Amino acid sequence: MREDAGVAELLTALVDGTGRPVSVDGTTLTAPELLGAAAALGAPLAGRARVAVHATPTMDTVVAVVGALLAGATVVPVPPDSGAAELRHLLGDSAPECWLGAAPPDPHGIEHLPVDLAARASYTPAGVAEDAPAFVLYTSGTTGLPKGVLLPRSALAAGLDGLADAWTWTAEDVLAHGLPLFHVHGLVLGVLGPLRTGSGLVHTGRPTPERYADAARAGATLFFGVPTVWSRLVEAPEHAAALREARLLVSGSAALPVPVFERLRQLTGHDPVERYGMSETLITVATRADGVRQAGWVGVPITGVETRLRDEDGAPVPHDGESVGSLEVRGPTLFDGYLNRAEATAEVWTEDGWFRTGDVACIAPDGRHRIVGRASVDLIKSGGYRIGAGEIESTLLGHPAVAECAVVGAPDEDLGQRIVAYVVPRSDVADEDALGAELTAWVGAELSAHKRPREVRFVASLPRNEMGKVQKKRLA
């Protein structure tokens, strides 16, 4: 990699001309074509500090993001389904100087620059400092208005190199996925990763079993998906079988249910690897390609990253695989703060320089991590016990009558919180009381009595966001 006085190339393979073709929903560009189209944006983007990109699952988005990064601008990915209020907040907070890609539904007074996939120009390095901001990624806004996460180029480079090491991800691979292009998983890992490692990319447009199977038959070796994607794939065995020739299946953004993990093994011959991260940290923990693969466990810290567990008083929590504590991390993949939110930024750092993730986890003696969930909704304090909702959810999913479930803690005068399980049954329930009692006994027998649900509520579906994560606060 070329490096000079703190200046480093982020998209190494693309710029060096060693990258393989990139395809998005049927539109394909070779590495030289992509570099030329992205470089053609250089002139109109000259001097622009921050730009918005309409992040549709198209080649336009890839060229816009790459062009802006090569020109030295900071990219603000805009979800294509943003509502009017969300869009006003995102654009008002980030103040981009122009909008790239398809025209916005409301221009908000921002100059619109379309992307020309046929345009070509020679690339001249902009000499961008490695600590310059690459993205402003907005959080989901579960605790107020979404916050803009400032991600420096150095964090992206460290994160992608760490995953390339963990997954033996090389230019010999072809990555396939159909994830949104405005989050860490789909955009940073799923687009910038191939442009740094040199691997090919097939973005399927939509993450359907049919399109994943087509990608596998075309030679894809590495697949990214969220649990919803993998759940749908195992319901289509004829398409899942096509992934037997793949090298690695990666699941993230939420815990992969044990039955889906086991069904993937049966249908594809692969135990998927899971990983953990968030917008503020990128991916900090990952199951290595040569590591232990176990449903519900997300692996070990990538190169350069450290993790620790702390209780409510800040005391260390033992790494015994059972004790639950608040997860804190530090390392080169972390963000530089929240845009325009100095107080919010200060709140998430400890005095000795660790980032408070807001998640609770347990760490095994061999360093493997299991994420219990968010401290605000997934750590249940009932009858003096600290209970992780994820463990109960995994157990419930092992029952043949349960298709989906979410466990939360509800206020209780006696226990402090009582465990409530929301269950989507696999078929119509003739007697909800009887099945509820059966599921309660199932958890009590598989785990322990204090972890059994005190209440089981049957629902037709669970509220989820665009990445497949259950929105538990909406259940409450």
Side-chain angles (χ1 to χ4, degrees), residues 49-353:
R50 195 177 296 152
V51 302
V53 173
H54 195 196
T56 57
T58 63
M59 185 63 79
D60 282 13
T61 295
V62 173
V63 171
V65 169
V66 172
L69 291 175
L70 293 180
T74 302
V75 177
V76 184
V78 179
D81 61 349
S82 297
E86 180 183 3
L87 188 59
R88 281 195 304 272
H89 167 69
L90 189 152
L91 297 180
D93 188 57
S94 64
E97 297 172 46
C98 64
W99 174 289
L100 301 179
D106 182 343
H108 290 270
I110 302 173
E111 179 185 3
H112 171 227
L113 297 177
V115 174
D116 184 357
L117 298 183
R120 297 291 183 269
S122 59
Y123 168 60
T124 301
V128 187
E130 61 183 8
D131 60 354
F135 288 105
V136 180
L137 292 183
Y138 277 82
T139 62
S140 59
T142 55
T143 56
L145 289 172
K147 297 187 289 290
V149 175
L150 288 163
L151 289 170
R153 291 166 182 257
S154 57
L156 270 60
L160 292 174
D161 290 349
L163 290 177
D165 170 66
W167 296 336
T168 59
W169 184 2
T170 72
E172 299 302 313
D173 282 305
V174 174
L175 169 65
H177 71 92
L179 301 175
L181 298 185
F182 50 87
H183 281 309
V184 168
H185 199 169
L187 180 56
V188 177
L189 276 61
V191 173
L192 302 192
L195 301 182
R196 186 168 177 84
T197 64
S199 72
L201 169 62
V202 176
H203 190 286
T204 60
R206 293 183 293 113
T208 64
E210 295 87 349
R211 295 192 180 196
Y212 271 45
D214 288 343
R217 296 186 189 103
T221 61
L222 176 62
F223 286 81
F224 287 173
V226 296
T228 301
V229 171
W230 299 123
S231 295
R232 291 171 180 169
L233 187 74
V234 299
E235 294 296 330
E238 70 279 13
H239 298 304
L243 272 63
R244 282 190 169 272
E245 299 303 315
R247 183 178 69 81
L248 198 67
L249 311 183
V250 179
S251 183
S253 298
L256 186 66
V258 173
V260 177
F261 183 100
E262 294 175 346
R263 188 67 171 145
L264 275 172
R265 175 194 296 150
Q266 295 169 0
L267 295 174
T268 70
H270 295 285
D271 285 352
V273 299
E274 298 187 62
R275 87 299 181 280
Y276 164 78
M278 54 197 306
S279 299
E280 291 90 338
T281 68
L282 300 178
I283 304 305
T284 51
V285 177
T287 301
R288 297 182 61 86
D290 59 358
V292 177
R293 306 182 193 184
Q294 182 180 355
W297 292 80
V298 295
V300 298
I302 66 169
T303 301
V305 172
E306 299 174 87
T307 62
R308 70 183 188 186
L309 299 178
R310 291 293 183 266
D311 64 17
E312 289 93 337
D313 299 321
V317 172
H319 295 186
D320 56 13
E322 294 290 339
S323 301
V324 174
S326 296
L327 181 64
E328 298 176 355
V329 304
R330 68 178 178 186
T333 68
L334 271 64
F335 75 140
D336 277 343
Y338 297 113
L339 181 66
N340 305 322
R341 303 283 187 90
E343 290 186 5
T345 299
E347 289 175 357
V348 297
W349 295 96
T350 66
E351 292 183 358
D352 56 347

